[in-house]
Amino acid sequence: RMPSCLLKLTRVVLSHKPWALFILIFVFVSFAYIKLYSNVWEDPKGRGPPYSLSAEINCAHYVPSSLSIAGEPSPSTPNVFFVETSEQTTPSYLFSCSVESAARTHPASRVVVLMKGLAKGNGSLPKHWAFSLLSCFPNVEIQPLDLAELFSGTPLKPWYLQPQRHQEPYFLHVLSDACRIVLMWKFGGIYLDTDFIVLKNLQNLTNALGIQGDDVLNGAFLSFKPKHNFMKLCMQDFVQNYNGWVWGHQGPELLTRVFKKWCSLRTIKSMSCKGVSALAPEVVYPIPWQNWKKLFEAVSALELHKLLKNTYAVHIWNKLSHGTKLEIPSQALLAQLYSQFCPATYAKMKQD
């Protein structure tokens, strides 16, 4: 019903034509606009979830039954960790695909996404389609990254508390390098960069890291039991041989240094030594970084099968590839990976 105040206003303005008629029209239009606006944003169920799913995201359609039936992840199954050390809270398609593919292939594991940009103590997530989509998966947890707490009780806490470190050119990357080795030391489980697409369950790759090629190990994938001595040596090397001004010195170069010492090697090769495995490149780095453009080239179903036969996950080398246009849908290798291993994210990409 029309409010009584508007009825009174109508009687008044009708006696003061035509200027008053203009005022009346203006008031009615304003009232209609406000009502419409409030209906658009009003939660039809009252104070429901702070970030309800977008209309185009249907959890019942996208979440596989195995995940729904599994219910709560098993406490005895190691976690899968992702880390975002910047303040970024608008995940990309690749970020979403990484988490979705890990959730689908690890239904019994907690897939924990730690983001520095999320406010601690605030129970709500920013409004973004990726958070809504990933909330469909019961084993995905998105949490604030508390760096002081994470580094406490480790050799990296004094390093982190030095303010001058934050001015170094590669600080965010070095910070990510630090987080992953501390997570593996403290909690164990699996660590993945947010530019991986996971094809198979990684839990049987224990105390392992991958060779990216060129006699270098890469830490974009790590899998270790908690308190493993190899990770302890990595933390010690991080502090003792610290150099934040050289790209990769605290990341791939650190892991390569420690593994060579661990195994008394001069050259990295695919092997297991003292309980730590250096995995062949095809396991998690099937596309060498020098050939990253292959991800955007069309491949047949047979080629794709051969390429990924012995592969558990594919690193997308986002630092190099992020500015490249990907046609959706297409037969490009990357488009086919999206389609098969993160179909919910892929559907959103097609829609957009």
Side-chain angles (χ1 to χ4, degrees):
R1 293 178 179 179
M2 184 183 297
S4 59
C5 60
L6 290 179
L7 289 172
K8 292 178 181 177
L9 179 62
T10 302
R11 296 190 190 101
V12 172
V13 296
L14 287 176
S15 62
H16 296 82
K17 303 175 183 178
W19 176 246
L21 184 60
F22 170 78
I23 297 174
L24 178 63
I25 293 172
F26 177 79
V27 170
F28 270 97
V29 170
S30 299
F31 175 77
Y33 175 80
I34 293 170
K35 185 64 177 175
L36 175 63
Y37 185 85
S38 63
N39 286 340
V40 168
W41 290 104
E42 184 180 10
D43 187 339
K45 297 181 182 178
R47 296 182 62 85
Y51 299 102
S52 57
L53 297 175
S54 302
E56 71 274 10
I57 298 175
N58 184 339
C59 284
H61 176 72
Y62 286 122
V63 178
S65 58
S66 59
L67 278 173
S68 301
I69 294 169
E72 292 296 321
S74 170
S76 60
T77 306
N79 296 336
V80 179
F81 291 101
F82 292 92
V83 173
E84 177 57 68
T85 53
S86 75
E87 299 292 334
Q88 182 66 254
T89 56
T90 54
S92 65
Y93 297 118
L94 181 54
F95 184 112
S96 175
C97 182
S98 297
V99 179
E100 179 186 346
S101 62
R104 288 178 181 273
T105 50
H106 298 78
S109 299
R110 292 169 64 227
V111 178
V112 183
V113 183
L114 300 170
M115 302 185 73
K116 185 173 180 288
L118 298 181
K120 187 178 179 182
N122 185 353
S124 59
L125 292 169
K127 277 185 177 287
H128 191 273
W129 67 264
F131 293 127
S132 293
L133 187 151
L134 295 174
S135 296
C136 289
F137 295 88
N139 56 334
V140 171
E141 300 178 15
I142 302 172
Q143 303 175 5
L145 173 61
D146 188 330
L147 290 164
E149 181 180 341
L150 177 62
F151 294 139
S152 65
T154 75
L156 276 70
K157 184 177 181 180
W159 162 81
Y160 175 68
L161 293 177
Q162 296 179 39
Q164 69 271 22
R165 299 295 186 208
H166 300 214
Q167 308 305 317
E168 294 169 351
Y170 308 121
F171 178 71
L172 283 181
H173 300 282
V174 173
L175 188 57
S176 179
D177 294 330
C179 288
R180 68 192 68 186
I181 60 177
V182 171
L183 281 169
M184 292 296 95
W185 162 250
K186 278 192 166 184
F187 308 108
I190 294 167
Y191 167 83
L192 291 167
D193 274 0
T194 55
D195 58 349
F196 257 111
I197 298 180
V198 186
L199 319 185
K200 303 172 186 174
N201 191 291
L202 298 160
Q203 296 291 2
N204 63 332
L205 304 178
T206 307
N207 300 331
L209 62 172
I211 300 172
Q212 73 168 34
D214 302 325
D215 193 38
V216 175
L217 291 167
N218 195 309
F221 158 80
L222 296 171
S223 177
F224 280 87
K225 291 183 177 178
K227 304 298 189 292
H228 196 283
N229 203 41
F230 185 84
M231 283 294 114
K232 182 178 180 181
L233 293 176
C234 287
M235 290 192 299
Q236 292 172 353
D237 186 283
F238 188 99
V239 175
Q240 293 169 3
N241 298 307
Y242 184 78
N243 186 341
W245 297 86
V246 176
W247 171 260
H249 187 80
Q250 306 305 121
E253 291 184 19
L254 180 150
L255 295 167
T256 302
R257 289 193 303 269
V258 174
F259 189 79
K260 285 182 175 180
K261 291 177 184 176
W262 181 266
C263 298
S264 301
L265 293 174
R266 288 188 177 182
T267 304
I268 296 290
K269 56 184 178 180
S270 177
M271 63 180 295
S272 182
C273 173
K274 298 180 183 177
V276 177
S277 298
L279 305 174
E282 62 264 24
V283 179
V284 287
Y285 305 110
I287 308 296
W289 67 266
Q290 300 94 327
N291 298 338
W292 65 267
K293 290 183 180 180
K294 184 176 181 64
L295 291 160
F296 297 86
E297 297 172 2
V299 295
S300 67
L302 181 60
E303 286 179 289
L304 180 64
H305 176 74
K306 287 181 179 179
L307 179 66
L308 305 179
K309 184 178 180 181
N310 300 311
T311 299
Y312 282 73
V314 180
H315 194 225
I316 306 304
W317 307 108
N318 187 54
K319 182 175 173 58
L320 300 169
S321 65
H322 71 276
T324 307
K325 183 179 180 181
L326 176 65
E327 293 291 341
I328 295 292
S330 73
Q331 292 302 304
L333 172 57
L334 183 53
Q336 293 194 59
L337 292 176
Y338 274 113
S339 174
Q340 292 186 38
F341 301 103
C342 54
T345 301
Y346 183 69
K348 176 64 177 172
M349 294 172 75
K350 287 197 296 182
Q351 175 192 315
D352 292 347

